[in-house]
């Protein structure tokens, strides 16, 4: 009779609670879906991961020492830079811990991360590769040939297969938000002088479009994946039960699959008729699907975020945005007729943006009554060029670029008109100071305008504004986190990230 072999310690290493930790560094003021999703997938197969959001929580060093696997979610540039500092702390306090970076900015920086800090990197649709990786580590199996998992000796392409089964009759994994900070710790909806709790879901990931500056493009290359309707609706239910009265649909473009999106909001409205929502969509989709806008408003849509980026046709062409300055005004009229607010995001500073372009942008924002719908930080956003950006091969940006600053994960660039770099510094300072003082958006706008007019050499009296900004004026609905899209926020826009007894991280 063969002796019974007890499971080795390594095979059970990742099963105890706390052995697996997922860390979110920054997710635009939302309760982090980037860690809730993989935790849901792992809980379904018997693991007990814990989550940590360092934008809200301090790092618990005893928990960090306990962890045997830490997955660091890096869906954007800010998160990656903070994630590197978290990984450095882990290496100091828990050197044997397996560190995995995953998300959009992980895959485009895979070689550097694997050389410096990471044991593995996962990009694209990360849930299945993460689960396969953790199961292999738990069984003490080799990870060298896992699909979608990069390691120091093997860098692979992002994983671009559906994470959810289209044929399975068993329940699909639902994002697990247990243990995450409560919704009142995150961005809230500000409407008519009141604030309401906000939930955050995605109905799709990736994007059909190929805007050159977008970090999604080098990873997804024009593909997108739908999240099953049942999964989205169940996640919404959980957040409504946690107090949410508004839902942000965080898809890169909610109208990539308009039938899927409309079906979800209709069912959501049937179940929760008082629930409101917002979403993000391209200008060209707002034009193409204009007939849907009254229906969205009837289901509870308050505002739509759109990556306007610029009012200059030349800049829009360089970015391959797919719309013109005139299209923006048409889309604005469509939404206003439907009773929905357009909240534009901008890339106000690019190598191709002239001072006249910047002044024209200010004119358009003012003339079309968009000051209160445009968060002041949008007027300071500078184009980010990360490694792997589609801009590097398909635009004339090379003449503006310096060498790659790998530690900062970007190519620095300099404008050919030094007034534009001066203006960027000045506007950034104005925006940061106004955020600290919670200054009225119109006052901040006028300060920015006066500064731009002065640089352009306009007479002082020309730039003087006589508008009276009444604090009690009606304002369009907004989220209290005033930054979104594909560039970088100012440091004042998220809480200091502290470690216990470790100072600032």
């Amino acid at each position: 009779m063969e002796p019974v072999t007890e499971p080795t310690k390594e095979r059970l290493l990742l099963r105890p609670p706390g052995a697996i930790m997922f860390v979110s560094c920054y997710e635009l003021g939302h309760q982090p879906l980037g860690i809730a999703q993989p935790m849901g997938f792992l809980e379904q197969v018997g693991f007990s991961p814990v989550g940590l959001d360092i934008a809200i929580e301090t790092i618990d060093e005893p928990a960090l020492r306990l962890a045997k696997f830490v997955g660091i979610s890096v869906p954007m540039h800010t998160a990656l830079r903070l994630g590197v500092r978290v990984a450095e702390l882990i290496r100091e306090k828990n050197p044997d811990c397996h560190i995995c970076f995953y998300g959009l900015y992980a895959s485009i920086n895979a070689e550097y991360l694997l050389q410096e800090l990471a044991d593995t990197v996962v990009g694209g649709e990360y849930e299945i590769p993460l689960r396969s990786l953790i199961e292999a580590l738990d069984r003490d199996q080799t990870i060298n040939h896992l699909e979608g998992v990069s390691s120091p000796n093997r860098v692979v392409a992002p994983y671009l297969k559906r994470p959810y089964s289209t044929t399975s009759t068993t329940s699909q994994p639902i994002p697990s938000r247990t243990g995450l900070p409560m919704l009142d710790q995150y961005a809230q909806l500000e409407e008519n002088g009141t604030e309401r709790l906000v939930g955050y879901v995605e109905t799709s990931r990736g994007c059909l479009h190929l805007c050159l500056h977008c970090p999604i493009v080098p990873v997804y290359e024009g593909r997108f994946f739908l999240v099953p309707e049942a999964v989205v609706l169940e996640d919404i239910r959980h957040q409504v039960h946690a107090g949410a009265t508004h839902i942000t649909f965080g898809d890169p473009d909610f109208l990539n699959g308009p039938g899927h999106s409309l079906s979800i909001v209709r069912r959501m409205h049937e179940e929760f008729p008082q629930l409101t929502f917002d979403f993000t969509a391209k200008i060209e989709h707002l034009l193409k699907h204009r007939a849907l806008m009254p229906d969205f408003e009837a289901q509870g849509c308050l505002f739509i975020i759109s990556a306007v980026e610029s009012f200059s046709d030349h800049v829009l062409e360089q970015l391959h945005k797919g719309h013109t300055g005139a299209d923006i005004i048409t889309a604005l009229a469509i939404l206003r007729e439907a009773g929905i607010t357009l909240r534009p995001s901008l890339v106000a500073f690019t190598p191709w943006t002239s001072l006249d372009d910047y002044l024209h942008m200010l004119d358009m924002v003012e003339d079309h009554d968009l000051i209160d719908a445009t968060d002041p930080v949008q007027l300071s956003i500078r184009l980010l060029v990360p490694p792997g950006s589609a801009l590097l091969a398909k635009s004339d940006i090379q003449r503006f670029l310096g060498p790659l600053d790998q530690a900062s994960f970007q190519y620095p660039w300099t404008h050919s008109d030094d007034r534009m770099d001066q203006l960027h510094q000045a506007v950034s300072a104005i925006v940061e100071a106004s955020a600290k003082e919670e200054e009225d958006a119109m006052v901040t706008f006028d300060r920015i305008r006066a500064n731009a007019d002065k640089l352009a050499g306009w007479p002082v009296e020309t730039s003087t504004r006589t508008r009276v900004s009444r604090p009690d004026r009606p304002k369009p609905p907004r989220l209290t986190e005033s930054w979104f899209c594909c560039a970088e926020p100012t440091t004042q826009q998220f809480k200091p990230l502290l470690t216990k007894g470790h100072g600032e991280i």
Side-chain angles (χ1 to χ4, degrees), residues 7 93 107 157 211 222 236 336 339 361 429 432 473 476 479:
K93 301 296 182 182
S107 53
C211 305
I236 289 172
R336 283 181 171 166
M361 175 190 70
E432 291 200 15
R473 67 185 180 277
L479 296 182

Side-chain angles (χ1 to χ4, degrees), residues 43 48 57 76 97 100 108 122 183 195 207 254 279 340 354 366 465 489 498:
E43 287 174 1
S48 301
E57 303 173 289
M76 53 181 296
C97 181
C100 176
I108 62 177
V122 174
L183 292 180
E195 292 187 354
C207 188
F254 194 59
F279 64 83
I340 299 172
S354 68
E366 182 167 14
R465 293 294 184 267
L498 305 177

Side-chain angles (χ1 to χ4, degrees), residues 220-502:
Y220 283 86
E221 298 179 334
R223 299 184 64 184
F224 83 111
F225 299 88
L226 298 178
V227 180
E229 184 172 303
V231 172
V232 178
L233 290 170
E234 186 63 17
D235 193 21
I236 289 172
R237 290 185 192 103
H238 289 172
Q239 293 180 80
V240 169
H241 294 154
T245 60
H246 179 89
I247 297 294
T248 288
F249 290 100
D251 310 40
D253 195 310
F254 194 59
L255 297 180
N256 272 329
H260 179 64
S261 302
L262 188 56
S263 176
I264 287 173
V265 298
R266 282 175 173 165
R267 288 193 58 188
M268 180 181 77
H269 185 67
E270 288 173 4
E271 189 169 348
F272 305 107
Q274 303 306 313
L275 199 60
T276 56
F277 66 94
D278 71 89
F279 64 83
T280 297
K282 286 173 64 68
I283 291 293
E284 63 182 284
H285 279 168
L286 299 179
L287 302 183
K288 181 179 180 180
H289 301 294
R290 66 180 70 193
L292 296 180
M293 298 306 126
D295 203 348
F296 280 125
E297 192 278 335
Q299 310 304 319
C301 182
L302 294 182
F303 61 91
I304 295 173
I305 296 167
S306 190
V308 165
E309 315 300 44
S310 175
F311 289 89
S312 162
D313 287 345
H314 174 63
V315 174
L316 292 170
E317 183 179 351
Q318 291 292 333
L319 299 178
H320 289 197
K321 278 304 301 177
H323 67 256
T324 65
D327 290 337
I328 298 166
I329 305 308
T330 302
L332 177 62
I334 290 168
L335 294 190
R336 283 181 171 166
E337 183 177 357
I340 299 172
T341 295
L342 174 67
R343 297 197 69 88
S345 69
L346 299 167
V347 181
F349 292 88
T350 78
W352 309 283
T353 304
S354 68
L355 183 53
D356 285 344
D357 289 334
Y358 193 88
L359 293 168
H360 176 61
M361 175 190 70
L362 298 180
D363 285 340
M364 297 298 282
V365 168
E366 182 167 14
D367 294 346
H368 292 278
D369 194 23
L370 285 169
I371 294 177
D372 281 328
T374 306
D375 292 302
V377 69
Q378 294 298 321
L379 305 177
S380 72
I381 297 295
R382 182 179 176 91
L383 179 69
L384 179 72
V385 186
S389 171
L391 282 167
L392 296 171
K394 297 184 179 179
S395 75
D396 69 346
I397 200 169
Q398 293 290 345
R399 60 195 176 98
F400 302 101
L401 297 182
L404 174 64
D405 181 354
Q406 184 62 82
S408 295
F409 305 105
Q410 63 182 305
Y411 288 89
W413 58 266
T414 304
H415 202 286
S416 57
D417 180 351
D418 61 4
R419 293 179 300 172
M420 291 303 292
D421 290 335
Q422 293 174 37
L423 181 60
H424 175 253
Q425 292 178 4
V427 172
S428 296
I430 290 171
V431 167
E432 291 200 15
S434 69
K436 286 181 180 178
E437 299 298 324
E438 298 183 351
E439 185 176 70
D440 186 286
M442 283 192 175
V443 174
T444 305
F445 180 89
D446 288 345
R447 292 172 62 206
I448 291 171
R449 183 66 198 238
N451 200 292
D453 287 353
K454 181 178 179 181
L455 263 181
W458 289 11
V460 173
E461 60 269 17
T462 304
S463 65
T464 300
R465 293 294 184 267
T466 58
R467 183 195 317 104
V468 176
S469 54
R470 294 186 300 105
D472 61 342
R473 67 185 180 277
K475 297 176 185 177
R478 64 183 289 270
L479 296 182
T480 54
E481 172 69 26
S482 62
W483 183 89
F484 32 76
C485 205
C486 305
E488 288 312 294
T490 60
T491 55
Q492 274 68 27
Q493 288 181 268
F494 48 90
K495 295 183 178 182
L497 307 175
L498 305 177
T499 62
K500 290 185 177 179
H502 232 314

Side-chain angles (χ1 to χ4, degrees), residues 103-163:
L104 277 180
Y105 273 83
S107 53
I108 62 177
N109 293 283
E111 291 186 9
Y112 176 81
L113 291 172
L114 290 165
Q115 176 184 342
E116 297 294 323
L117 286 168
D119 295 294
T120 49
V121 167
V122 174
E125 298 297 286
Y126 46 74
E127 291 91 344
I128 298 300
L130 280 174
R131 188 172 67 187
S132 298
L133 170 62
I134 288 169
E135 288 178 327
L137 292 171
D138 182 56
R139 296 167 183 161
D140 200 24
Q141 295 174 341
T142 180
I143 63 171
N144 292 335
H145 304 291
L146 292 176
E147 190 174 12
V149 178
S150 292
S151 53
N153 297 321
R154 177 177 174 265
V155 176
V156 300
Y159 184 85
L160 295 179
K161 295 183 180 179
R162 298 178 187 274

